[in-house]
Amino acid sequence: MKTNKFLTLALAVIGAGMIQWSCSKNEDSIEPVQQDPNAPKGQVRIGVTDAPIDNAEVKGAFVTITEVRVDGRVFDAFKGPKTVNIAELNNGNFLTLGEGQLQAGTYSKLTFFFDYEKDAMGNAPGSYILKADGTKSKLVISGNARNYLDLNTKPFTISQDGTTDLMVDFDLRKAIKTFNENAQKQYSFVTYGELQSSIRVVNKTATGTISGQVSGYNAATMGNVVAFVYKKGEFNQNVETKGQGESSVEFKNAVSSAKVDAAGNFKVSFLEEGDYEIHFASFKSSGDANSSVALNSFLNLSGNLDLTKLSVKSSTEVRLSLSIKGFLGL
């Protein structure tokens, strides 16, 4: 009897463990959710754009996307694998990944699947930084072996009578980190959580733009200047100029950013409706081939609008005309 009781108890414990393991396995499953073939469908367009990285050594940032899902449902209009150079999708430029139909309803998550090993042509690696010297630095998510990335979004509706136009905005400056290996600078994605927070998903039709020109700008003497856009009242210089998180990301809480080109022009696109402020920071290189450009100063600017009170509306462009008064210390 004692033996039977012990055996019964042991089997119960093993059975409970199997149930728990099975539940855990299901929770971790990445099997796609099946669409109801009889449910109403709506039109969906998904595009990708980028806020640039402030590193002259980076000539390209390529990611190979193999699949796109919306709340677990495969977006069949995307035909993968597709290798995309997101570094060239700046200043309002974007690439449409696909346009097609999905089951109508309310959604709140996009998932991208990546191939780190091979690109769309079968060449290695699949996702990488192309450096100025022509070499490649393989990109993987730091400390995480997952080949997919869940992007939680504001709820959006796919309706039977309209087109939902989603824009996925990578921010390379936040998404990529550098490290030294064998006396050479290499690159990787930041951690999984940091990579999630470096990418925005917005409804393209409900966004506007901040653009303008900085007169008197000279990159040779002033360094590379980046315009950082923040939600109004959320910029804290002491916090934003220090590296935050495991990957030491500067200007981590900026909504988006844009480089000022040689003629002084800049453009920050796909900003959701709201009130913003914009700050211009100068970066200069130390001259060491294995070190990134470093924050040098902020620009003191005068212009046609108050840079701490910029109101963005859907389908509109806020145009700034700016001149340099001087530099502000850090």
Side-chain angles (χ1 to χ4, degrees):
M1 290 294 292
K2 289 182 178 179
T3 302
N4 288 338
K5 287 182 179 179
F6 177 79
L7 180 60
T8 301
L9 178 62
L11 289 172
V13 171
I14 293 172
M18 290 294 290
I19 292 172
Q20 184 177 8
W21 175 84
S22 177
C23 291
S24 174
K25 183 179 179 182
N26 288 335
E27 289 173 357
D28 292 339
S29 174
I30 56 172
E31 291 299 314
V33 176
Q34 298 302 314
Q35 294 196 64
D36 180 354
N38 299 315
K41 303 292 192 300
Q43 196 75 2
V44 182
R45 183 186 301 118
I46 298 178
V48 61
T49 188
D50 169 51
I53 189 170
D54 45 2
N55 190 327
E57 186 193 35
V58 174
K59 295 304 179 185
F62 293 82
V63 293
T64 298
I65 304 170
T66 59
E67 188 173 274
V68 178
R69 297 181 188 174
V70 183
D71 272 25
R73 293 173 171 84
V74 176
F75 184 50
D76 291 326
F78 171 77
K79 306 300 181 183
K82 183 177 289 187
T83 301
V84 180
N85 182 6
I86 56 178
E88 66 181 6
L89 301 175
N90 309 143
N91 301 316
N93 294 315
F94 64 92
L95 175 71
T96 298
L97 295 178
E99 181 176 357
Q101 292 194 325
L102 273 175
Q103 185 174 321
T106 301
Y107 297 84
S108 59
K109 184 171 71 174
L110 294 184
T111 303
F112 282 76
F113 286 77
F114 302 107
D115 192 334
Y116 300 135
E117 305 304 324
K118 293 183 179 180
D119 66 15
M121 301 299 293
N123 300 315
S127 299
Y128 58 93
I129 289 291
L130 177 65
K131 296 192 283 188
D133 62 5
T135 60
K136 299 177 181 180
S137 182
K138 182 179 177 181
L139 290 175
V140 296
I141 299 175
S142 296
N144 194 304
R146 276 184 284 191
N147 68 332
Y148 64 92
L149 182 69
D150 288 327
L151 300 174
N152 296 315
T153 72
K154 292 181 180 178
F156 60 90
T157 300
I158 297 175
S159 61
Q160 189 175 4
D161 301 323
T163 297
T164 302
D165 200 351
L166 300 177
M167 185 60 62
V168 181
D169 186 3
F170 282 79
D171 192 332
L172 276 180
R173 184 188 55 79
K174 297 181 186 179
I176 305 297
K177 71 175 186 178
T178 62
F179 62 95
N180 289 329
E181 182 177 80
N182 299 324
Q184 295 293 322
K185 186 195 295 183
Q186 300 296 338
Y187 295 82
S188 75
F189 285 126
V190 292
T191 65
Y192 185 86
E194 290 172 328
L195 187 57
Q196 283 181 309
S197 64
S198 74
I199 301 172
R200 298 185 303 132
V201 181
V202 296
N203 187 334
K204 180 172 173 283
T205 58
T207 64
T209 300
I210 298 176
S211 67
Q213 184 181 48
V214 180
S215 64
Y217 170 59
N218 186 326
T221 58
M222 300 176 184
N224 296 318
V225 171
V226 178
F228 294 99
V229 174
Y230 284 78
K231 283 287 189 180
K232 181 182 174 182
E234 294 188 2
F235 176 72
N236 183 321
Q237 181 173 318
N238 290 331
V239 173
E240 295 300 293
T241 55
K242 295 179 174 61
Q244 298 178 63
E246 186 174 335
S247 301
S248 297
V249 179
E250 293 181 344
F251 298 92
K252 184 177 184 296
N253 296 304
V255 174
S256 190
S257 61
K259 292 172 70 174
V260 177
D261 68 17
N265 299 305
F266 64 92
K267 185 176 185 180
V268 186
S269 302
F270 309 115
L271 296 170
E272 294 180 294
E273 279 195 345
D275 295 327
Y276 295 90
E277 57 184 283
I278 188 168
H279 300 268
F280 293 78
S282 167
F283 294 81
K284 287 188 176 182
S285 172
S286 65
D288 182 352
N290 288 325
S291 64
S292 300
V293 293
L295 178 62
N296 181 56
S297 64
F298 285 91
L299 272 63
N300 184 13
L301 299 166
S302 62
N304 58 323
L305 295 173
D306 186 339
L307 300 186
T308 65
K309 299 176 182 179
L310 300 175
S311 182
V312 174
K313 303 295 184 183
S314 296
S315 303
T316 63
E317 182 172 358
V318 177
R319 182 71 182 173
L320 300 174
S321 296
L322 306 172
S323 58
I324 299 173
K325 294 169 60 179
F327 295 90
L328 303 172
L330 300 178

